[in-house]
Amino acid sequence: MDTMFSLKEKTIVVTGASSGIGKCTSIAISKAGGRVVLIGRNEDRLIETFNKLEGIGHSYYTFDLLNFSEIKSLVSRIVTENGKIDGLVNSAGVESTVPLKVLSYKNLEETFKINVFSGIELTKHFSNKKNFSSKGSIIFLSSVMGSLGEKGKIAYCGSKAAVKNMIKPLALELADKNIRVNSISPGLVMTEMTDKLFASISEQSSQDIINKHPLGIGTPNDVASLCIYLLSNSSRWVTGTDIIIDGGYSIS
Ligand SMILES: NC(=O)c1ccc[n+]([C@@H]2O[C@H](COP(=O)([O-])OP(=O)(O)OC[C@H]3O[C@@H](n4cnc5c(N)ncnc54)[C@H](OP(=O)(O)O)[C@@H]3O)[C@@H](O)[C@H]2O)c1
C-alpha cells in the first residue's frame, strides 16, 4: 500500500502557485518527490515559491489566465519543455465582495474566466493524450461558498458552484484516459485572499465567520495535504467528487 502518498516520477502543474493554497501545495508536491510546474502572474512571487521547492527539475511560467486564447500555446510550451504531465491543480482564483446593485458584467466575466473557464481550458488541452501521461489526477479548487450564500458574493458563489458540478462530466469524459477529476471545497483558510476579505468587512463580521468554524480556520497546509492524496496513486478510485475540508463550518 502507498502509505506515504509519494509523487515520485510525477510532473504536476499548479496554477495560482505564487500565493496561498497553490504556493503551499507546490512546496508539498516537491516534498512528496514530484516535479512542479508553477503558473502565476507575478514573477517575483513565483520565484519566491520556486526557491522553496525541494529537489530538482521544477519550472515556472508567468501567465495571466485572463489571456484565454493563449492557454493552448502555454500548454504546448509546458509539455515541450517538461514532458507529459501527471497532474494539474487549478488553484488560481479571485474573490470579491460586490453587491447586486453594483455588480457589472465585467466583474462576473472576470470571476468566471479565472475561477471556471481557465481551468476547463487547461484541462481540455492538458488532457490530450500528447500532453498527459497514461494516468493522472486533476484538481479544481471550489469552496464551501459553492453550496452556501453570503451577501455580495454572487459572482464568487456562482463560480464555485459551477466548479464543483462541472468536475462530474469532466470525470466521466476523462475516465477512459485514466484521468481522475475532483474538486476541493475549503472553508476559510488563512491566505492573502482571506486578508483581503477581512479588510473589506467589519471586524465583527470577520470574527463571526471565524467563530462558525468549530475546529478554527484552516491553513494552506490543511488543503495541500488533501491535494497530495488526490494527486497520488492512493486515490486511484476517487473521481468526480467534491471533498469538503472546512473544520466543520458547513455542519454547524
Ligand atoms: N483562502 C480561502 O479561504 C479559500 C477558501 C475556499 C476556496 N478557496 C479557493 O482556493 C484557491 C486559492 O485561494 P488562495 O486563498 O490561495 O488565494 P490567493 O492567496 O489570493 O492566491 C490567488 C492565486 O491566484 C492567482 N491568480 C489570480 N488571478 C490570476 C490570473 N488572472 N492569472 C493567473 N493567476 C491568477 C494569483 O496569482 P498572482 O499572485 O500572480 O496574481 C495567486 O497565485 C482559489 O480558487 C480560492 O477561491 C480559498
Side-chain angles (χ1 to χ4, degrees):
M1 193 173 86
D2 181 9
T3 49
M4 297 292 289
F5 300 153
S6 169
L7 299 182
K8 281 202 178 80
E9 313 292 328
K10 292 188 194 293
T11 300
I12 312 290
V13 177
V14 181
T15 71
S18 51
S19 180
I21 293 168
K23 178 177 183 173
C24 191
T25 299
S26 301
I27 297 166
I29 292 167
S30 74
K31 286 184 177 162
R35 289 197 326 144
V36 200
V37 177
L38 313 169
I39 300 178
R41 276 177 307 187
N42 184 313
E43 184 162 23
D44 290 344
R45 287 170 15 121
L46 274 180
I47 292 173
E48 221 177 90
T49 306
F50 184 82
N51 288 336
K52 292 195 165 130
L53 300 175
E54 289 187 9
I56 54 167
H58 313 296
S59 53
Y60 69 85
Y61 294 80
T62 44
F63 187 81
D64 187 336
L65 290 165
L66 286 172
N67 293 329
F68 196 75
S69 59
E70 287 167 35
I71 289 180
K72 186 177 180 188
S73 48
L74 171 75
V75 168
S76 297
R77 212 179 122 208
I78 289 175
V79 174
T80 302
E81 292 171 4
N82 301 272
K84 289 187 182 187
I85 71 154
D86 305 272
L88 166 65
V89 181
N90 293 291
S91 187
V94 287
E95 199 256 7
S96 54
T97 306
V98 186
L100 180 62
K101 62 183 174 195
V102 287
L103 183 64
S104 64
Y105 179 76
K106 191 168 180 288
N107 179 276
L108 280 167
E109 189 187 32
E110 271 195 25
T111 305
F112 272 78
K113 261 189 168 174
I114 299 165
N115 292 5
V116 183
F117 304 158
S118 69
I120 297 177
E121 191 70 1
L122 284 163
T123 299
K124 176 177 171 179
H125 297 298
F126 272 125
S127 63
N128 187 303
K129 66 175 188 291
K130 289 195 313 274
N131 301 330
F132 215 95
S133 75
S134 56
K135 63 177 177 193
S137 168
I138 296 177
I139 301 171
F140 284 81
L141 263 297
S142 179
S143 165
V144 288
M145 298 309 291
S147 308
L148 305 170
E150 208 172 284
K151 285 179 183 172
K153 303 289 180 199
I154 301 153
Y156 189 70
C157 291
S159 70
K160 293 301 180 181
V163 167
K164 82 184 181 85
N165 216 45
M166 76 196 191
I167 53 121
K168 295 174 189 173
L170 285 173
L172 288 172
E173 288 199 29
L174 296 179
D176 285 350
K177 293 182 173 175
N178 250 318
I179 299 175
R180 299 178 291 105
V181 187
N182 296 286
S183 62
I184 296 177
S185 283
L188 198 69
V189 177
M190 269 328 288
T191 66
E192 280 180 26
M193 187 176 277
T194 315
D195 292 341
K196 280 185 213 148
L197 168 71
F198 282 172
S200 73
I201 59 180
S202 71
E203 217 169 288
Q204 187 55 51
S205 303
S206 304
Q207 197 52 53
D208 290 345
I209 295 174
I210 293 169
N211 292 344
K212 282 186 192 157
H213 291 73
L215 294 182
I217 57 176
T219 68
N221 243 326
D222 295 321
V223 182
S225 301
L226 182 52
C227 288
I228 300 299
Y229 165 68
L230 286 175
L231 291 168
S232 77
N233 297 339
S234 296
S235 58
R236 59 165 289 278
W237 211 43
V238 182
T239 197
T241 199
D242 177 66
I243 302 180
I244 295 172
I245 172 166
D246 69 351
Y249 177 82
S250 47
I251 50 158
S252 61

